[in-house]
Amino acid sequence: MSDANPSSPADSSCLTDGQTLWVDGRALEVRISARRSRLGLTVERDGALILRVPPTCPPERAEAFVRSGSRWIDDKLRLREERQPLHPTRKLSDGEIHRYLGRDYRLLYVDEPGAPVRLVAGRLRMDQATAADPVRGRRALADWYTRSGLRWTRGRLQPWAARMDVDEPRIEVRDVGRRWGTHRPGRIALHWATFQLPFHLIDYVIAHELAHVRVSGHGPDYWRLLRRAMPECARWKTELDEMGRRVWMGDVAER
Ligand SMILES: [Zn+2]
């Protein structure tokens, strides 16, 4: 450790706020907190290790603490790795496979300027003039998911709302960023990319947002309500977390 100021030997016996502490090849960012008496370690979303220590903490104490938590750190980092998004990019090329409601469909270039994307007889027909421009092609496909998803959802909303005894909110399908769905009073929005998932996971997203009509946040009351309507919800949540990482979110690659 070389972060301590060599010109003031008194300081070198304690950790300083913001310094990097190296322990067995791991870099830890030190944060001094006047209110702490014990040490604490967190793994941040970006994988950074933050070590929170009380004032006048000797490095030896911090190093021993980090070493004692070595396995915990490994587990946390591995878990983080396993949950990294793996969203693919697509080329929108002729014959490429795209998913809708959990099933595979091949893109088929056709000459149909009036209908940029249509699903007919098991083929996702994309107008070739639209496909020629990746930006247009991507927008046309996202629009198609939006329209088809909205139509599909209209039939699914009512049974779930009835099961939870909540008023049926207005529904819209659009890009809602990194989430599958959102809720605000009287209105639910689902991400267009959700409709690549199998039925039961889309149902989970719908039911999840509908439960927010009654209960906001994800406390015990929330999960009780959702579990009563959808007993498998915990399983579907795990499945969504896993499968959702691999869903195409609209990124188009160079051809
Ligand atoms: Zn939620």
Side-chain angles (χ1 to χ4, degrees):
M1 268 163 297
S2 56
D3 288 65
N5 184 349
S7 65
S8 54
D11 287 343
S12 70
S13 62
C14 293
L15 294 172
T16 54
D17 193 49
Q19 84 167 80
T20 304
L21 176 71
W22 287 90
V23 182
D24 301 336
R26 284 198 181 100
L28 297 107
E29 189 186 324
V30 174
R31 304 248 177 99
I32 309 267
S33 164
R35 278 171 299 175
R36 293 194 82 97
S37 59
R38 292 195 295 181
L39 287 79
L41 183 64
T42 51
V43 178
E44 301 298 296
R45 281 179 81 103
D46 62 357
L49 302 172
I50 308 289
L51 180 66
R52 290 181 172 80
V53 301
T56 68
C57 176
E60 297 76 23
R61 183 182 168 201
E63 285 166 26
F65 173 77
V66 172
R67 289 205 176 93
S68 72
S70 174
R71 181 172 296 174
W72 179 87
I73 298 172
D74 283 344
D75 287 349
K76 280 277 184 190
L77 289 173
R78 195 176 49 242
L79 213 60
R80 195 188 144 266
E81 193 75 16
E82 285 168 9
R83 288 177 183 163
Q84 284 289 322
L86 302 166
H87 303 304
T89 54
R90 294 282 155 82
K91 290 183 174 168
L92 308 186
S93 50
D94 194 29
E96 186 179 59
I97 288 178
H98 287 258
R99 306 204 116 193
Y100 177 56
L101 306 180
R103 297 183 66 169
D104 288 351
Y105 296 97
R106 273 185 199 283
L107 273 190
L108 178 69
Y109 282 8
V110 290
D111 188 14
E112 286 174 341
V117 179
R118 290 199 302 157
L119 181 60
V120 181
R123 290 301 190 101
L124 211 42
R125 298 162 71 92
M126 182 178 269
D127 173 52
Q128 56 198 9
T130 304
D133 175 356
V135 177
R136 262 178 77 191
R138 184 240 187 243
R139 193 168 50 222
L141 196 50
D143 284 350
W144 178 81
Y145 278 115
T146 301
R147 285 194 311 274
S148 310
L150 187 60
R151 209 177 310 126
W152 187 83
T153 304
R154 287 214 170 101
R156 310 293 281 194
L157 202 59
Q158 194 278 330
W160 288 111
R163 233 180 259 192
M164 282 184 231
D165 195 21
V166 296
D167 289 333
E168 212 177 310
R170 281 184 53 193
I171 185 113
E172 52 187 8
V173 176
R174 56 186 170 85
D175 189 331
V176 289
R178 291 168 49 146
R179 290 170 296 181
W180 300 114
T182 63
H183 165 258
R184 54 196 174 93
R187 187 178 298 230
I188 279 176
L190 304 178
H191 200 301
W192 61 261
T194 308
F195 296 93
Q196 296 164 76
L197 294 163
F199 296 148
H200 65 284
L201 296 186
I202 307 172
D203 270 341
Y204 169 79
V205 176
I206 293 172
H208 181 110
E209 297 307 333
L210 272 175
H212 282 313
V213 173
R214 179 89 68 76
V215 188
S216 52
H218 300 112
D221 284 353
Y222 173 83
W223 289 110
R224 209 173 297 124
L225 171 65
L226 186 56
R227 211 178 309 117
R228 204 163 52 215
M230 181 179 256
E232 315 87 341
C233 63
R235 219 170 104 208
W236 300 157
K237 184 187 184 304
T238 309
E239 212 175 291
L240 177 64
D241 288 345
E242 181 49 38
M243 201 178 282
R245 297 191 304 144
R246 294 158 207 280
V247 165
W248 180 60
M249 302 304 283
D251 291 331
V252 175
E254 298 280 327
R255 287 179 208 155

